[in-house]
Amino acid sequence: MSSDRAPLFITGAGRNVGAHIARRLLADGLPVIAHYRTATDEVDALAAAGAMLVRGSLDDEAGIRAVTDAVNGHTPRLSGLIHNASRFEPTPDDPGTAAAAFADYWAVHMLAPYLLTTLLTPALEPVGDRASDVVMITDIYADDPTPKHDIYCATKAGLQNLALSFAKRLGPGIKVNAIQPGPISFTDWHQPEARQRILADTLLGRAGNPEAIYRAVRGLMDNDYITGAILPVDGGRRLGR
Ligand SMILES: NC(=O)C1=CN([C@@H]2O[C@H](COP(=O)(O)OP(=O)(O)OC[C@H]3O[C@@H](n4cnc5c(N)ncnc54)[C@H](OP(=O)(O)O)[C@@H]3O)[C@@H](O)[C@H]2O)C=CC1
Ligand SMILES: Nc1nc2c(c(=O)[nH]1)N=C([C@H](O)[C@@H](O)CO)CN2
């Protein structure tokens, strides 16, 4: 099914949830510009499926502006922007190492979504009566942090707050919403007992998957009367903690 809609731009599409969202948007006939940092087989598969690709780091203003320029080089118009790129590791114990990590977390979770949204607003201005969309992928931890991941949580909370500011600023032509994933997938360093505890705290008793996030993205984008929403997709984990 081909679409006459302008492309959707998603960051962090090189693996896992971002790759899944990009793949599903393409499968649903929507044009996609997929950002990635590290080349993977999934990036190759996205290109084969018709995605336009943008490679780059979102570590600082120069890198973010380079990604923006690359997006503008692909298209003058966008129908949506999905801020998915993210870093996730425990906060380092050493304060100096933590400070360096803080700059990285702030850049990818806050500066990049802020600058990309601001610089791409002209491309997002709708043609016709269908509003464009910005979706920020945050975390249930943004509302109820874990100290072990304090910097991650704080910058995700900042991203969530940016979503509300942009919803106020960019309406009515652009809807802006946030999705808060819960235990969608586990990292290699999640030990079995941690995984069991997390799932025991989850009302639905099981992990989610990237498809649950995709369906939430579509639910927000396809509803013309939702903006400024913060949507948990967590199996009820936030209530069980
Ligand atoms: N998985 C889960 O259970 C949960 C996920 N989330 C959120 O959902 C989203 C997707 O999660 P998931 O797929 O697991 O995330 P991953 O950590 O698997 O992937 C994150 C992506 O972001 C990219 N990225 C990170 N830092 C930068 C940077 N500085 N510049 C450019 N790209 C960067 C990574 O690139 P590279 O491949 O080069 O490292 C990677 O492709 C994230 O926002 C995450 O915080 C929230 C709660 C739970
Ligand atoms: N960028 C990422 N953010 C998060 C990840 C991840 O793998 N990459 N994973 C989680 C955890 O799995 C957590 O949800 C388990 O409860 C959180 N954020």
Side-chain angles (χ1 to χ4, degrees), residues 40-78:
T40 63
D41 292 344
E42 288 165 293
V43 171
D44 294 341
L46 289 174
M52 293 167 273
L53 301 179
V54 168
R55 184 175 194 175
S57 288
L58 302 170
D59 300 334
D60 54 31
E61 182 176 353
I64 297 162
R65 284 182 179 274
V67 166
T68 307
D69 291 346
V71 173
N72 285 326
H74 278 299
T75 179
R77 309 212 66 79
L78 290 170

Coordinates of all heavy atoms in Angstrom, one line a residue, residues 40-78:
T40 N 24.1 -1.9 11.2 CA 23.7 -3.3 11.6 C 23.0 -3.9 10.4 O 22.6 -3.3 9.4 CB 22.7 -3.2 12.7 OG1 21.5 -2.5 12.3 CG2 23.3 -2.5 13.9
D41 N 22.8 -5.2 10.5 CA 22.0 -5.9 9.5 C 20.6 -5.4 9.4 O 20.0 -5.3 8.3 CB 21.9 -7.4 9.8 CG 23.2 -8.1 9.7 OD1 24.2 -7.6 9.1 OD2 23.4 -9.3 10.3
E42 N 20.1 -4.9 10.6 CA 18.7 -4.3 10.6 C 18.7 -3.0 9.7 O 17.7 -2.7 9.1 CB 18.2 -4.1 12.0 CG 17.9 -5.4 12.7 CD 17.8 -5.2 14.2 OE1 18.8 -4.9 14.8 OE2 16.7 -5.4 14.7
V43 N 19.8 -2.3 9.7 CA 19.8 -1.1 8.9 C 19.8 -1.5 7.4 O 19.0 -0.9 6.6 CB 21.1 -0.2 9.2 CG1 21.2 0.9 8.2 CG2 21.0 0.3 10.6
D44 N 20.5 -2.5 7.1 CA 20.5 -3.0 5.7 C 19.1 -3.4 5.3 O 18.7 -3.1 4.2 CB 21.5 -4.2 5.6 CG 23.0 -3.7 5.8 OD1 23.3 -2.5 5.7 OD2 23.8 -4.6 6.1
A45 N 18.5 -4.1 6.2 CA 17.1 -4.6 5.9 C 16.1 -3.4 5.7 O 15.3 -3.4 4.9 CB 16.6 -5.5 7.0
L46 N 16.3 -2.4 6.5 CA 15.5 -1.2 6.4 C 15.7 -0.5 5.0 O 14.7 -0.2 4.3 CB 15.7 -0.2 7.5 CG 15.2 -0.6 8.9 CD1 15.7 0.4 9.9 CD2 13.7 -0.7 8.9
A47 N 16.9 -0.5 4.6 CA 17.2 0.1 3.3 C 16.6 -0.7 2.2 O 16.0 -0.2 1.2 CB 18.7 0.2 3.1
A48 N 16.7 -2.0 2.3 CA 16.1 -2.9 1.3 C 14.6 -2.8 1.3 O 14.0 -3.0 0.2 CB 16.5 -4.4 1.6
A49 N 14.0 -2.4 2.4 CA 12.6 -2.3 2.5 C 12.1 -0.9 2.0 O 10.9 -0.5 2.1 CB 12.1 -2.5 3.9
G50 N 13.1 0.0 1.6 CA 12.8 1.3 1.1 C 13.0 2.5 2.0 O 12.7 3.6 1.6
A51 N 13.6 2.2 3.1 CA 13.8 3.4 4.0 C 14.9 4.3 3.5 O 15.9 3.8 2.9 CB 14.3 2.9 5.4
M52 N 14.8 5.6 3.7 CA 15.9 6.5 3.5 C 16.7 6.5 4.7 O 16.1 6.3 5.8 CB 15.3 7.9 3.2 CG 14.6 8.0 1.9 SD 13.6 9.5 1.7 CE 12.1 9.0 2.5
L53 N 18.0 6.5 4.6 CA 18.9 6.4 5.8 C 19.6 7.7 6.1 O 20.0 8.4 5.2 CB 19.9 5.3 5.6 CG 19.3 3.9 5.3 CD1 20.5 2.9 5.1 CD2 18.4 3.4 6.4
V54 N 19.8 7.9 7.4 CA 20.6 9.0 7.9 C 21.5 8.5 9.0 O 21.0 7.9 10.0 CB 19.8 10.2 8.4 CG1 20.6 11.2 9.2 CG2 19.0 10.9 7.3
R55 N 22.8 8.6 8.8 CA 23.7 8.1 9.8 C 24.3 9.2 10.6 O 24.7 10.3 10.0 CB 24.8 7.2 9.2 CG 25.8 6.6 10.2 CD 26.8 5.7 9.6 NE 27.4 4.8 10.6 CZ 28.2 3.8 10.3 NH1 28.6 3.6 9.1 NH2 28.8 3.1 11.3
G56 N 24.5 9.1 11.9 CA 25.1 10.2 12.7 C 25.0 10.0 14.2 O 24.1 9.2 14.6
S57 N 25.9 10.7 14.9 CA 25.8 10.7 16.4 C 25.0 11.9 16.8 O 25.1 13.0 16.2 CB 27.2 10.7 17.0 OG 27.8 9.5 16.8
L58 N 24.3 11.7 17.9 CA 23.5 12.8 18.5 C 24.1 13.2 19.8 O 23.5 13.4 20.8 CB 22.0 12.3 18.7 CG 21.3 11.9 17.4 CD1 20.0 11.2 17.8 CD2 21.1 13.0 16.5
D59 N 25.5 13.4 19.8 CA 26.2 13.7 21.0 C 26.4 15.1 21.3 O 26.7 15.5 22.4 CB 27.7 13.1 20.8 CG 27.7 11.6 20.6 OD1 26.7 10.9 21.0 OD2 28.6 11.1 20.0
D60 N 26.2 16.0 20.3 CA 26.4 17.4 20.5 C 25.7 18.2 19.4 O 25.2 17.6 18.4 CB 27.9 17.8 20.4 CG 28.6 17.2 19.2 OD1 27.9 17.2 18.1 OD2 29.8 16.9 19.2
E61 N 25.7 19.5 19.5 CA 25.0 20.4 18.5 C 25.4 20.1 17.1 O 24.6 20.0 16.2 CB 25.1 21.8 18.9 CG 24.3 22.7 18.0 CD 24.3 24.2 18.4 OE1 24.9 24.5 19.4 OE2 23.8 25.0 17.6
A62 N 26.7 20.0 16.9 CA 27.2 19.8 15.5 C 26.7 18.5 14.9 O 26.2 18.5 13.8 CB 28.7 19.9 15.5
G63 N 26.7 17.5 15.7 CA 26.2 16.2 15.2 C 24.7 16.2 14.9 O 24.2 15.7 13.9
I64 N 24.0 16.9 15.8 CA 22.5 17.0 15.6 C 22.2 17.8 14.4 O 21.3 17.4 13.6 CB 21.9 17.5 16.9 CG1 22.2 16.6 18.1 CG2 20.4 17.8 16.8 CD1 22.0 17.2 19.5
R65 N 22.9 18.9 14.2 CA 22.6 19.7 13.0 C 23.0 19.0 11.8 O 22.3 19.1 10.7 CB 23.4 21.0 13.1 CG 22.8 22.0 14.1 CD 23.6 23.3 14.1 NE 23.0 24.3 15.1 CZ 22.0 25.2 14.7 NH1 21.5 25.1 13.5 NH2 21.5 26.0 15.6
A66 N 24.0 18.1 11.8 CA 24.4 17.3 10.6 C 23.3 16.4 10.3 O 22.9 16.2 9.1 CB 25.7 16.6 10.9
V67 N 22.7 15.7 11.3 CA 21.6 14.8 11.1 C 20.4 15.6 10.5 O 19.7 15.1 9.6 CB 21.2 14.1 12.4 CG1 19.9 13.4 12.3 CG2 22.3 13.1 12.8
T68 N 20.1 16.8 11.1 CA 19.0 17.6 10.6 C 19.2 17.9 9.1 O 18.3 17.8 8.3 CB 18.9 18.9 11.4 OG1 18.9 18.6 12.8 CG2 17.7 19.7 11.0
D69 N 20.4 18.3 8.8 CA 20.7 18.7 7.3 C 20.5 17.5 6.4 O 20.0 17.6 5.3 CB 22.2 19.2 7.2 CG 22.4 20.5 7.9 OD1 21.3 21.2 8.2 OD2 23.5 20.9 8.1
A70 N 20.9 16.3 6.9 CA 20.7 15.1 6.1 C 19.2 14.8 5.9 O 18.8 14.4 4.8 CB 21.4 13.9 6.8
V71 N 18.4 15.0 6.9 CA 17.0 14.8 6.8 C 16.4 15.8 5.8 O 15.7 15.4 4.8 CB 16.3 14.9 8.2 CG1 14.7 14.9 8.0 CG2 16.7 13.9 9.1
N72 N 16.8 17.0 5.9 CA 16.3 18.0 4.9 C 16.8 17.7 3.5 O 16.2 18.1 2.5 CB 16.8 19.4 5.4 CG 16.0 20.0 6.6 OD1 14.8 19.7 6.7 ND2 16.7 20.7 7.4
G73 N 18.0 17.0 3.4 CA 18.4 16.6 2.1 C 17.6 15.6 1.5 O 17.5 15.4 0.2
H74 N 16.9 14.8 2.3 CA 16.0 13.7 1.8 C 14.6 14.3 1.4 O 14.0 13.8 0.5 CB 15.8 12.6 2.8 CG 16.9 11.6 2.9 ND1 17.3 10.8 1.9 CD2 17.8 11.3 3.9 CE1 18.3 10.0 2.2 NE2 18.6 10.3 3.5
T75 N 14.1 15.2 2.2 CA 12.7 15.6 2.0 C 12.5 17.1 2.5 O 13.1 17.5 3.5 CB 11.8 14.7 2.7 OG1 10.4 15.1 2.5 CG2 12.1 14.7 4.2
P76 N 11.6 17.8 1.8 CA 11.3 19.1 2.3 C 10.1 19.1 3.4 O 9.9 20.0 4.1 CB 10.8 19.9 1.1 CG 10.2 18.8 0.2 CD 11.1 17.6 0.4
R77 N 9.5 17.9 3.4 CA 8.3 17.8 4.3 C 8.4 16.5 5.1 O 8.8 15.5 4.6 CB 7.0 17.8 3.5 CG 6.8 18.9 2.5 CD 5.4 19.3 2.4 NE 4.9 19.9 3.7 CZ 5.2 21.2 4.1 NH1 5.9 22.0 3.3 NH2 4.8 21.6 5.2
L78 N 7.9 16.5 6.3 CA 7.8 15.4 7.2 C 6.4 15.3 7.7 O 5.8 16.3 8.0 CB 8.8 15.5 8.4 CG 10.3 15.4 8.1 CD1 11.0 15.8 9.4 CD2 10.6 14.0 7.7

